Amino acid sequence: GEADDFHLSTLFALGLLLLGLASGAPFMPKIVGMAKGDVAVAVALLVMLMVGTIAFLPVALPLLVQGTQVNPEEIVRLLLLLILLPLSVGLIMRARVPSFADRLAPVLGVVSIATLLAATVLIIALHWQSLKQVFGTGAIYAAALFSVLCALAGWLLGGRDAGQRMALGLGTGFRSFPAALIVSVQNFADPNVQVMVIVTTLTAIAVLQPAAWLLAKRGSAALGERD
């Protein structure tokens, strides 16, 4: 009935709220690179957003949703494992053995793309029954609008440099789904909150990545015409 629909919509809204408070997707630099954006800016932005999420999320969520609490230690542990450790290893290799890093980069690029695709397929397969219930509820449209508005905000604030604008647009459009999932498990027993986090992440990939590729292709074509 209407009460059930309202309850479901509330849970989906909580999923969007969590993603709004959790910034810095682990795969952001890779997607920015694929879209021909400024990878250096993306890496710096990712670190800044990760630190911001760790400091902001535990304070903001209890103020916005009464009865919730966030364990920052679990978020720190996961983000360090997913982001900071691989990033630090890569930067050290780039500084100490640049020739080896250059040879290894193409291989790791293929591995990272394959891993991202495999993770996406695995997430869909594991949550397929729950994800099917989302169709027809309007959640996908809300997720797409949320992702586009977040990306647009970063794009507009990115300055005049196209590479930086691409990095900030994708950096704000893709949210930190690992942090959002951890907090959703800590505070909400209903799986629809977690489903909304997953749906929004998948929708952002489906909407923002093709848009970024299209913009990168148009930018390359414009440069070719100038040459």
Side-chain angles (χ1 to χ4, degrees), residues 59-98:
V59 177
L61 183 62
L63 295 177
L64 295 172
V65 183
Q66 293 184 354
T68 59
Q69 59 182 1
V70 178
N71 183 356
E73 294 182 1
E74 293 189 16
I75 298 177
V76 170
R77 189 180 305 114
L78 181 63
L79 295 183
L80 288 178
L81 180 63
L82 290 178
I83 300 176
L84 192 57
L85 180 60
L87 183 61
S88 299
V89 172
L91 292 176
I92 292 173
M93 290 184 61
R94 170 67 66 178
R96 298 293 180 85
V97 283

Side-chain angles (χ1 to χ4, degrees), residues 11-12 14-15 18 184 188 190-198:
L11 294 172
F12 287 159
L14 287 172
L18 290 177
S184 68
F188 306 107
D190 197 304
N192 279 304
V193 179
Q194 299 149 40
V195 167
M196 190 60 184
V197 171
I198 295 172

Side-chain angles (χ1 to χ4, degrees), residues 161-222:
D161 184 82
Q164 292 183 8
R165 295 185 74 179
M166 182 72 72
L168 265 71
L170 294 176
T172 54
F174 290 108
R175 314 303 294 171
S176 181
F177 69 93
L181 282 178
I182 287 179
V183 175
S184 68
V185 172
Q186 290 176 350
N187 291 276
F188 306 107
D190 197 304
N192 279 304
V193 179
Q194 299 149 40
V195 167
M196 190 60 184
V197 171
I198 295 172
V199 166
T200 305
T201 302
L202 295 176
T203 302
I205 294 175
V207 173
L208 298 182
Q209 185 60 68
W213 276 334
L214 180 61
L215 289 173
K217 185 176 181 180
R218 292 180 61 182
S220 298

Side-chain angles (χ1 to χ4, degrees), residues 144-159 165-166 168-175 208 215:
L145 181 61
F146 171 84
S147 301
V148 170
L149 290 178
C150 288
L152 183 61
W155 176 267
L156 293 176
L157 295 174
R165 295 185 74 179
M166 182 72 72
L168 265 71
L170 294 176
T172 54
F174 290 108
R175 314 303 294 171
L208 298 182
L215 289 173

